[in-house]
Amino acid sequence: MHTRLFCALLATTALPAMAQDAAPSEPTVPIPAAITAEDVPALPVTLAERARPYLESRSAGFAGWDPNKRAILISTRFANVPQLHRVEMPMGARTQISFEAEPVSGSYAPEKGDVLVVGKDRGGDEYYQLYTLADGRLTLLTDGKSRNGANAWSADGSLLGYSSTRRNGSDSDLYVMDPRDPASSRMVAEVQGGGWYIAGFAPDKRTAYVVEYKSVQNVDPYRLDLASGAMTAIGDTDADIAYGGFQVGPDGTVWATSDEGSDFQRLGRLDPASGKFTPVSTESWDVDGFDLSDDGKTIAYIVNEAGTDRMRILDVASGKVRKVESLPAGLIGGVEIAPWGEIGFSLSSAKSASDVWSLDPQTMKLTRWTQSETGGLDPAVNVEPQIVSTKSFDGLEVSGLLYLPDPAKFPGKRPLLVSVHGGPEGQSQAGFRGATNFYLNELGIGVFYPNVRGSTGYGRTFVSLDNGPFKREDSVKDMAVLVDLVRANPHVDPDKVGLTGGSYGGYMCYAAAVQLKDKLRATQCTVAISNFVSFLENTNPYRQDLRRVEYGDERDPAQRAKLTEISPLTRVAEIDKPMFVITGANDPRVPKSEADQMVAAIRENGAEVWHVVAADEGHGFRKKENADYAFLAQLAFWEKYLLGR
C-alpha cells in the first residue's frame, strides 16, 4: 500500500576551501566552486585518476510502482545529484523525469497514478517543499519557506497527508490536500513538537492515524477526526512504547510494528479502539519495515538479523510465513507491493550496489529491474565483512563489522580505519561500501564499523543505554574496547589505526581524538557535535526537544554542567594528533558553528587540522563534485597518516 512516509533525503557533509599551492608542473584537482579547503594540501590529479572508477559507481533506489502499468520509479544519479527516473520494463532504459539542481524524491498517487508528488530542499537546508512533477517541471504545493514532509496517501490517492512548520517554524502541524488542487490544503491538527506525522487514512477518509515521534523508544499513535480535528490517543501514551510502519487495510485493520511487551519491534495488528497490539511475527530481531497489499491479504516484511536484512511474506488469512531464501545477505529497502501483487524493493550487498528487484510472491521468482554501473570495476572482488564482538567495561556485548583486505594481495599486518555511524539511533549494516572499497582493494587498508550501545538493531534496552549526559560516555568506552579488539587482530597493524565518523559519529570522532588518542594515528570528523550545549541551543528548533530526549536538557543546570564536561571542546587542549574536519554550511542539524569552534580551538593550540566546508551542502554531501573532492581529500589524509606517503 502507498501509505509509507517519504524519507527525507540525507547526506554526508563538506565546505569551501583554500588549498596550499602545489608545484607548478604538477597538475592538481580543481576545488569545486562551493568548497573552501583550509590547510588542505593541493590534491594531485594522479590521486583522482587512481580513484576515478570507484567514484563513478552509481546505485538505484526503488521509489515505487506506477499503479497503472508494470513500470517503476527509481532514484539514481547520472549527473551531479540523484533524480527520479522511470523504468518501463525489467532492465529497461532509465528515463530521467526530474531535472533539478538538488536531489528529488517522490511517488505516484495510488490507484490512478495521475499525479507525481515530490520533495526538494535547497543546498541541504532540509526546508523541504512539496511539488507536483509533470513534463520535467515542478509546481509548488507548499509555502516555499517552511519545512514540509509528505507523509501518507489515502488508498484512492485523492488525499495526501503532510506535516509543516509553516505556523511557527518549529511545530510540525498536520495538513491534508488533494495535490491536484493546491488550494484544497488545510490544517487538520495544530500540534506541539517537531515529531508529528500522518501515518495513514481509514478507508472512509474521515479518520487519519497520526503519530508523535518523541524518541526511538517512545512513539505515540492517535486517531484524528479530519472534520473536527479531535484527536484520541490509541493506547497508553504515558508508556514508553515505540510504534512504526503504520498500514491500513481495506477492511480498516491497522497494522504496525511495536516493541510493546518485547525488546524488539514486532509486526502486528493494532486495535484503534482499545489500543491492544497483537503481534504476528515471531523473530527475535527487529522488523524494520513492511508493506500491505491493496487487498489486505499479503504482507511483505523485513527482519534485521544482526545487521543483515531478511524478507518474509505473510499470508494474512492463514498466518503462514514464508522466508525468501534466494536473496543474498545485504540491505533491503523501499518495499512496496504493486496493485497486482508483485513486491518491489531495493537490494544492496557487499558485492552489489543498490539496485531494484521484484518478487512474485506466488512463484517466488525474482526479477532484476536495474543493474547500476560500478565504474567498470568487478564488484565480485569486494570483501565480505566478518562480525566481531567483545565484552565492554560493564559486561555488555558489543560488536561490529570488520572488512580486511585480501591477504594474498596485501600480506602482513595492515592499517585500519574505524568508521563510526551516526544517529546515535543507527546501525552499521552489511551493504555496498561504494568508494570505501578503494581503501580495501587498492590501498590495503581495512575498515571496521563498530555498533556501540545506543545503536538500533539490538533491542530497545541496548538502544537506551547511552541516553542522557550521564551515560553518554559509556558509548565511548564501548568504542575503546572495540578498537582494542581489532587492533589485536593478527592482520591489523595496531600502530596504524585511524578513526572517522559523521554526525553523532562525528562527536565520537572528536571524543576519540581526546580519549583514544594513544590508540589512533589521526581522526576525520564530519558534521560533528563539538559542544553539546551549543549544539542543543543552535540545532533547528523543530529538533531541539527530540534531541534533548537523547542527549539531555541543557536548560537544566545539573545536566548542562555534565553536557559541558563531556563535550570534546572542553578537552580540546588534549588533541595533539592530526584531524580533518568536514562541514556543510547549511546544516540544520549540526550547525557549522560546531565545526568552526573546534577548528579554531585546535589551531589556537598549535595542532594540525584540515578543514573542508561546502557552501551548498547541509548534513552531508549530496552533490557529486563536492563529495568527490571530499573523498579525495580524505584519501590524501589517510595515505599520509596511515601509509606514510
Side-chain angles (χ1 to χ4, degrees):
M1 297 189 73
H2 222 83
T3 52
R4 144 180 329 108
L5 301 181
F6 288 13
C7 292
L9 291 165
L10 189 58
T12 54
T13 311
L15 270 187
M18 294 155 305
Q20 300 169 359
D21 292 334
S25 60
E26 183 180 8
T28 60
V29 175
I31 301 175
I35 292 282
T36 299
E38 302 169 348
D39 294 332
V40 177
L43 307 177
V45 166
T46 52
L47 177 66
E49 291 171 347
R50 288 161 50 210
R52 181 60 53 199
Y54 291 86
L55 297 175
E56 296 305 325
S57 66
R58 60 172 55 92
S59 61
F62 183 56
W65 293 99
D66 181 333
N68 293 315
K69 61 182 299 185
R70 192 170 181 251
I72 62 172
L73 194 66
I74 69 168
S75 173
T76 192
R77 178 198 54 75
F78 279 90
N80 202 31
V81 294
Q83 296 292 313
L84 291 174
H85 298 66
R86 277 180 63 91
V87 181
E88 298 285 341
M89 65 182 70
M91 301 303 291
R94 295 160 289 185
T95 304
Q96 188 167 338
I97 61 173
S98 69
F99 303 86
E100 300 298 313
E102 303 289 346
V104 172
S105 63
S107 70
Y108 288 108
E111 195 170 281
K112 295 181 181 179
D114 60 328
V115 63
L116 174 57
V117 174
V118 304
K120 179 175 73 76
D121 73 350
R122 292 182 179 178
D125 64 5
E126 299 186 16
Y127 281 84
Y128 293 97
Q129 303 303 316
L130 304 182
Y131 306 81
T132 55
L133 169 62
D135 301 323
R137 293 183 173 88
L138 300 183
T139 300
L140 185 65
L141 297 174
T142 45
D143 65 355
K145 298 178 292 184
S146 59
R147 175 184 167 88
N148 303 273
N151 300 157
W153 290 97
S154 61
D156 65 359
S158 65
L159 285 181
L160 174 66
Y162 70 102
S163 58
S164 177
T165 61
R166 71 180 63 171
R167 176 172 56 87
N168 61 9
S170 58
D171 295 322
S172 295
D173 297 326
L174 304 178
Y175 294 76
V176 296
M177 74 158 75
D178 180 347
R180 303 159 189 83
D181 176 17
S184 68
S185 177
R186 63 187 180 93
M187 183 193 292
V188 292
E190 181 178 307
V191 299
Q192 290 186 330
W196 290 87
Y197 61 90
I198 295 175
F201 293 90
D204 63 8
K205 296 181 291 186
R206 296 178 180 177
T207 301
Y209 296 100
V210 306
V211 168
E212 182 185 16
Y213 178 97
K214 295 178 178 177
S215 73
V216 70
Q217 297 172 276
N218 191 349
V219 182
D220 296 331
Y222 296 82
R223 285 179 294 157
L224 173 64
D225 186 296
L226 293 176
S228 68
M231 198 178 295
T232 305
I234 299 175
D236 182 6
T237 57
D238 290 330
D240 283 343
I241 300 171
Y243 296 90
F246 285 79
Q247 300 271 320
V248 185
D251 61 354
T253 300
V254 177
W255 292 86
T257 60
S258 175
D259 59 10
E260 181 179 3
S262 173
D263 205 38
F264 293 95
Q265 286 280 318
R266 297 180 292 179
L267 173 67
R269 298 176 179 88
L270 180 63
D271 185 336
S274 68
K276 181 181 179 182
F277 178 75
T278 305
V280 298
S281 63
T282 59
E283 294 86 357
S284 295
W285 298 100
D286 281 336
V287 174
D288 275 354
F290 70 94
D291 196 43
L292 174 68
S293 63
D294 287 357
D295 60 12
K297 295 181 179 179
T298 304
I299 294 177
Y301 67 97
I302 306 303
V303 179
N304 176 352
E305 295 184 357
T308 293
D309 289 342
R310 305 294 185 183
M311 182 180 289
R312 305 284 187 263
I313 300 174
L314 169 69
D315 178 80
V316 171
S318 67
K320 181 181 178 182
V321 175
R322 288 177 292 161
K323 297 181 179 180
V324 180
E325 304 284 10
S326 53
L327 297 176
L331 305 183
I332 300 171
V335 176
E336 183 182 307
I337 303 178
W340 51 91
E342 193 171 2
I343 303 168
F345 56 95
S346 306
L347 173 67
S348 72
S349 68
K351 298 180 182 294
S352 175
S354 176
D355 272 309
V356 179
W357 296 72
S358 65
L359 176 73
D360 183 330
Q362 302 303 318
T363 64
M364 302 297 277
K365 178 185 176 182
L366 278 171
T367 300
R368 186 169 192 161
W369 283 77
T370 64
Q371 187 161 8
S372 295
E373 296 82 357
T374 55
L377 300 168
D378 179 7
V381 305
N382 295 337
V383 298
E384 300 271 7
Q386 52 183 287
I387 298 175
V388 298
S389 63
T390 188
K391 299 290 186 180
S392 192
F393 69 97
D394 57 356
L396 180 73
E397 183 173 348
V398 290
S399 62
L401 302 175
L402 178 60
Y403 295 76
L404 293 172
D406 181 356
K409 184 176 181 181
F410 299 102
K413 293 179 178 290
R414 300 301 305 171
L416 183 76
L417 184 58
V418 179
S419 180
V420 188
H421 68 70
E425 308 97 331
Q427 182 186 19
S428 289
Q429 296 181 262
F432 189 66
R433 290 299 169 191
T436 300
N437 286 309
F438 183 87
Y439 289 95
L440 290 154
N441 298 342
E442 307 297 335
L443 300 182
I445 296 176
V447 186
F448 175 60
Y449 297 87
N451 284 310
V452 299
R453 72 187 65 205
S455 301
T456 54
Y458 305 94
R460 63 176 287 118
T461 300
F462 191 89
V463 80
S464 71
L465 293 177
D466 67 342
N467 287 357
F470 299 97
K471 297 181 181 178
R472 179 58 45 202
E473 290 193 321
D474 288 353
S475 61
V476 181
K477 296 175 184 177
D478 291 346
M479 184 166 61
V481 299
L482 284 167
V483 168
D484 285 342
L485 174 69
V486 292
R487 288 177 74 226
N489 186 289
H491 301 289
V492 172
D493 184 339
D495 296 324
K496 294 182 179 179
V497 177
L499 188 142
T500 183
S503 190
Y504 177 75
Y507 153 71
M508 296 285 275
C509 180
Y510 284 155
V514 174
Q515 300 182 44
L516 279 64
K517 64 180 182 179
D518 293 340
K519 307 175 191 292
L520 303 172
R521 279 285 184 93
T523 51
Q524 189 282 301
C525 313
T526 299
V527 294
I529 300 167
S530 60
N531 183 315
F532 281 110
V533 172
S534 58
F535 160 71
L536 290 165
E537 290 176 338
N538 296 316
T539 192
N540 195 288
Y542 88 92
R543 303 185 72 248
Q544 285 177 310
D545 286 340
L546 297 172
R547 293 295 79 196
R548 285 168 178 148
V549 174
E550 173 65 36
Y551 297 124
D553 192 336
E554 84 288 359
R555 299 166 299 183
D556 175 88
Q559 294 192 52
R560 186 183 185 92
K562 187 64 176 179
L563 286 166
T564 300
E565 176 190 328
I566 66 174
S567 292
L569 188 63
T570 301
R571 299 175 62 179
V572 68
E574 299 176 52
I575 296 177
D576 55 13
K577 298 285 183 68
M579 180 182 287
F580 183 3
V581 176
I582 297 179
T583 312
N586 302 325
D587 192 342
R589 303 183 181 213
V590 180
K592 175 178 175 288
S593 54
E594 289 297 303
D596 290 342
Q597 61 193 11
M598 178 61 89
V599 169
I602 292 173
R603 286 176 176 161
E604 185 176 346
N605 292 333
E608 179 182 1
V609 58
W610 303 10
H611 191 196
V612 165
V613 182
D616 58 351
E617 301 279 13
H619 198 62
F621 287 3
R622 302 180 300 179
K623 296 180 174 67
K624 186 177 187 301
E625 62 179 354
N626 296 336
D628 284 359
Y629 179 84
F631 179 79
L632 293 173
Q634 290 172 78
L635 278 185
F637 184 78
W638 292 121
E639 283 197 334
K640 180 177 181 179
Y641 291 110
L642 291 185
L643 297 179
R645 295 178 180 174

